[in-house]
Each structure stands twice: as structure tokens, then as C-alpha cells.
Amino acid sequence: MDSPTCGQNRVSVIIPTHGARNPERLTHMAKQIAPATEVIIVYAPLCSHQADIECVAGAKVVAAGKHATASECHAIGAQHATGNVLLFLPEEGIFPPASLRKYIAPLQRDYDLVLSAGGRVLTKGRLSTVRCACALLNDLLGQKQLGSASLETAPFSLTRTALEAIGPHHLQVPATALVSAVQKGLAITTVAPASRERKSSAANQGVAKAKSLIFQEHAKAIQLLLQDQNVRGALPDGERHRILVQVPGLLHLRSVFYQHSREKEGDGWGAKRKERAKRARKRVQSRPKRSH
């Protein structure tokens, strides 16, 4: 069993894999990040006939369900981690250890969560819809400085305290995990994304999460955020009511209307104008006619 001192100094590196041919290389890379490093490989096979990874020298191997997403593997690995700092890596590359240490340094300066800086929403004239969703959520959270950074993208790191505040199982839905981190007042920063030294050799590259699932998760996160703050995100809006309705799996801003006007006039848009015109006609008709 590890001593408390060892646990406090240990960095737990969590790597999801869907069939890397040489996990030993990934383990060797992770071991160079810090003097006391715990490596956890979360193995999620893509098909039933893939051979199980039972043991990798210097690493703890944890099994995940078939077709598990990287986010689900992150949550599983976090539950097995014992270090005071957790660093999550993708399987699709070998990184220089120095470029990964920058994810650990801010945690020693009172930060709780370190994300990879997000790229531009508009690149080469094309709109990145996933980055738009991430940027929108960050803006609504009051964290516009994060840009399109997200827990969807590894590498990222967090402290043991931050993990306990968020809850390890919540990492399987990165968008809601980020909402929880902000609501609990965790200190979040970004660093330039680590540059890959080379591509790792993998029988099957990591399974990318479907865009539709990412959008659904961000819609759920925004819905939870608005429910917590109120329909206007804690911003005043006079007499207007902005209605969010559930439309098969998506949130949709349906309409903006003046509740007071509709209740009083009962005639929808333009009711006040119609009522004024009606009163003007009555005044004209009620005037006594002059005799000649």
C-alpha cells in the first residue's frame, strides 16, 4: 500500500486505449513525466475478438466496456487513480515529456484544472461546430477566456481535490463536468496543446465521439446551467419571457414575448396598437355633430 506521502507526490497518468499494439511505449512515455508516476491504461476493445491486454510492465491495466468512449475511459481510470494529480492523455500519439509537464506546473500554483487551449471556431473559412458548442458553453459559464477549451480534449489535468469536487463518474460527460467545476468555484486555466512527437502505432485509432452525442451533452449542460440560474442566466430581461422547449433531443429557443401584454390584451402581437386605434375610433364617433 502506498504511503500518504507517496500519494501526495504521485502523478496518475490515465490513457484510454482501443487496441494500441505497444502500450509499453505509452507507459514508458508517461513514466518520464514525473519522478513518481502511476500509469493506468484503460482498455476498451472495439470488437469481441480483440485480445485482452492483461498486463503491461509498469502500468495498471483496467478493463472497460466494449466501444467505451474516451470520456467513459477517463471516468473509469479516475476511479482507480491514487495520485494527487491526474493527467489524462490520448492514445493517438507519443508526446515529449517536457510538453506534458506544463499540464502539471499550474496545479502547483493553486490552479485546480488545466485544459488544452481550444482552437479557433472559424478556421480556413470553415466553421467548427464542435468548437462552437464548447465556446458557447464557456461563454454562458462566464469563462469566455477559455475560448473553445473543453474536457472533451486530452491532454488535460486536475488535482485530487478537483476530482472529488466534480465526482469521478461525471467525467464521462465532459460538458456537465465542466459546468460542475465552474459552479464549485474551481480555478481553471489553459495551456498551449502539447505537440505530438510522433503517431503511436495502433491497430485501431481511438474512437472519436460522434458529433451528435457531443451536441446532446452540451445541450444537457446548458439546460442544467439555465435551470440553476433561471431562464435568463441570471440576467434581467424586463417583462420578456424567453422559452426553451425540448425538441427531440435538442434545445430550441422558441420565442420571446411580453407576458403582461398578452394577458391584458389577449390578442397576441400588435394588440396594443389595435386597442389604441379602436379607442381613437370610439372617441371620434362619440363627438357631437355640429349643426349647420
Side-chain angles (χ1 to χ4, degrees):
M1 181 178 292
D2 298 320
S3 66
T5 304
C6 181
Q8 289 173 4
N9 296 328
R10 172 172 289 182
V11 175
S12 294
V13 179
I14 299 164
I15 308 172
T17 180
H18 296 81
R21 289 176 181 169
N22 28 11
E24 293 83 4
R25 181 178 293 177
L26 296 172
T27 302
H28 176 70
M29 171 195 69
K31 285 285 185 180
Q32 298 179 61
I33 296 171
T37 303
E38 172 189 49
V39 182
I40 301 174
I41 293 178
V42 184
Y43 178 61
L46 293 177
C47 51
S48 56
H49 66 267
Q50 274 187 265
D52 291 336
I53 298 177
E54 296 179 355
C55 180
V56 178
K60 181 189 297 184
V61 179
V62 179
K66 189 170 68 173
H67 296 296
T69 65
S71 300
E72 291 168 339
C73 291
H74 290 162
I76 293 171
Q79 293 174 26
H80 288 82
T82 61
N84 196 45
V85 169
L86 288 81
L87 174 62
F88 299 82
L89 301 181
E91 70 163 324
E92 301 92 354
I94 302 298
F95 299 88
S99 70
L100 296 175
R101 292 188 191 111
K102 64 185 179 183
Y103 288 88
I104 299 174
L107 300 179
Q108 299 168 345
R109 301 195 305 267
D110 297 328
Y111 281 101
D112 302 300
L113 177 59
V114 182
L115 304 176
S116 294
R120 295 180 178 179
V121 171
L122 186 64
T123 56
K124 296 181 180 179
R126 299 182 63 182
L127 191 67
S128 172
T129 51
V130 170
R131 287 176 181 170
C132 279
C134 297
L136 173 61
L137 178 60
N138 291 338
D139 200 354
L140 292 174
L141 284 168
Q143 302 288 320
K144 195 171 184 177
Q145 75 281 2
L146 296 180
S148 59
S150 170
L151 284 168
E152 288 283 352
T153 307
F156 66 86
S157 63
L158 71 164
T159 62
R160 167 67 53 182
T161 302
L163 178 68
E164 292 173 354
I166 296 171
H169 61 286
H170 285 145
L171 291 177
Q172 62 185 325
V173 185
T176 55
L178 187 58
V179 170
S180 178
V182 172
Q183 289 178 333
K184 293 181 184 300
L186 300 184
I188 307 172
T189 189
T190 61
V191 296
S195 56
R196 286 183 175 84
E197 195 173 78
R198 60 183 178 275
K199 290 269 187 176
S200 64
S201 176
N204 295 287
Q205 294 297 335
V207 176
K209 186 184 291 186
K211 284 186 179 182
S212 58
L213 179 56
I214 294 176
F215 296 150
Q216 288 175 17
E217 290 179 355
H218 278 73
K220 178 181 178 182
I222 292 172
Q223 184 180 32
L224 291 173
L225 178 62
L226 294 179
Q227 285 177 350
D228 180 66
Q229 294 181 341
N230 72 33
V231 293
R232 281 285 293 144
L235 298 175
D237 201 22
E239 297 177 347
R240 286 176 289 182
H241 292 243
R242 298 175 185 262
I243 299 180
L244 282 172
V245 295
Q246 193 74 29
V247 187
L250 296 174
L251 285 172
H252 172 61
L253 187 60
R254 184 178 183 182
S255 63
V256 181
F257 64 93
Y258 287 84
Q259 185 73 28
H260 177 71
S261 298
R262 286 198 170 186
E263 289 176 351
K264 184 176 180 180
E265 309 293 349
D267 195 19
W269 299 104
K272 287 186 175 180
R273 178 179 56 81
K274 293 177 182 178
E275 185 64 24
R276 285 197 298 269
K278 184 179 179 180
R279 288 197 296 266
R281 287 195 299 270
K282 286 184 177 179
R283 284 197 298 270
V284 171
Q285 292 172 0
S286 61
R287 289 176 185 170
K289 292 183 181 181
R290 294 181 179 179
S291 58
H292 295 284

